[in-house]
Amino acid sequence: METFENFTYELDGNLYINLTSKCTNDCTFCVRNEKSEYFGHKLWLSREPSAEDVLRRIPEDISRYKEYVFCGFGEPTLKLAQLLAIGKELKRRGATVRLNTNGQGSLIWKRDISEELAKAVDKINVSLNDADAQSYVTLCRPSFGEQAFTALQDFAKKCAAQGICVWFSVVDIIGEKKIEECRKIAERCGVALRVRKYIG
């Protein structure tokens, strides 16, 4: 498999930050199962970047991008120290910073990381993906098993309580009934639900 040093990539007016190729999920629908690239961007990393590696690729004119988004082929919170350092510096420069995550960050680090994240990100998109723990395990194959589904809800709730703009996302192919169940989960956690169209 060919690997690259694409630590950042542009998409839809945003700059995406690719910190790792590792993930605690092995989702059945993940694009990386079938392709080595995403919208033309080759995202398998030959090495994981330092915060300095990424910051060197940030433009002087911070307003060049709408948002700076932690999202690549892996789970960004696995590289928490780098995420926090980059996010804090971007916010200091006036950027809007978003994290796309599976919501298992606190589970990974065995502590509540929401207060730390509040200093580094403005928005968090947590991939809820399904409406119950068993279905989530079947779909996402998390290394943490069923507890991942409970943990991501607790993570979202605590991040929202820190003042971060948080929402759950699901893909429309799960069907209306499950989407409604997911909407109820989001309401219980005090966050919004966004339904994304499936990209084949």
Side-chain angles (χ1 to χ4, degrees):
M1 179 180 58
E2 214 175 348
T3 56
F4 302 86
E5 289 195 3
N6 288 336
F7 306 142
T8 61
Y9 61 103
E10 298 179 25
L11 198 63
D12 299 328
N14 298 323
L15 189 70
Y16 285 76
I17 300 167
N18 187 25
L19 293 179
T20 182
S21 296
K22 297 170 187 166
C23 192
T24 50
N25 278 356
D26 181 24
C27 298
T28 56
F29 57 85
C30 188
V31 66
R32 72 189 209 157
N33 293 337
E34 297 173 6
K35 298 177 182 177
S36 62
E37 59 182 63
Y38 183 69
F39 287 100
H41 301 286
K42 297 179 186 297
L43 300 181
W44 284 110
L45 293 175
S46 55
R47 68 180 178 90
E48 293 180 333
S50 66
E52 292 73 23
D53 286 329
V54 172
L55 290 169
R56 277 194 290 269
R57 302 187 185 201
I58 302 301
E60 285 294 318
D61 179 10
I62 207 76
S63 66
R64 180 173 160 189
Y65 298 104
K66 294 180 293 184
E67 293 182 349
Y68 291 77
V69 188
F70 291 103
C71 176
F73 261 3
E75 169 49 42
T77 58
L78 283 166
K79 305 300 294 180
L80 185 63
Q82 292 81 358
L83 188 161
L84 294 174
I86 297 161
K88 285 176 187 174
E89 176 60 19
L90 287 172
K91 280 172 68 68
R92 187 190 69 78
R93 296 187 199 176
T96 298
V97 183
R98 170 163 45 107
L99 165 63
N100 288 358
T101 177
N102 63 21
Q104 295 167 30
S106 293
L107 197 55
I108 291 164
W109 293 99
K110 299 178 181 173
R111 68 175 193 273
D112 175 15
I113 64 170
S114 62
E115 189 174 351
E116 295 165 84
L117 287 174
K119 296 169 185 170
V121 303
D122 303 289
K123 304 175 180 181
I124 300 180
N125 171 15
V126 179
S127 298
L128 180 60
N129 289 328
D130 220 313
D132 62 86
Q134 197 171 2
S135 299
Y136 180 85
V137 167
T138 301
L139 187 68
C140 299
R141 300 184 292 205
S143 58
F144 292 107
E146 287 194 7
Q147 67 172 319
F149 191 68
T150 306
L152 70 86
Q153 294 174 59
D154 185 59
F155 172 83
K157 197 184 299 183
K158 284 178 174 165
C159 286
Q162 292 289 343
I164 305 170
C165 175
V166 183
W167 64 89
F168 285 137
S169 63
V170 295
V171 181
D172 58 5
I173 56 169
I174 64 172
E176 255 330 298
K177 187 181 177 189
K178 282 196 171 187
I179 287 171
E180 278 312 303
E181 290 170 18
C182 290
R183 209 176 300 282
K184 288 173 188 170
I185 293 170
E187 284 172 9
R188 286 198 296 272
C189 293
V191 304
L193 180 74
R194 295 189 183 179
V195 183
R196 298 183 289 110
K197 287 209 171 293
Y198 174 68
I199 301 170

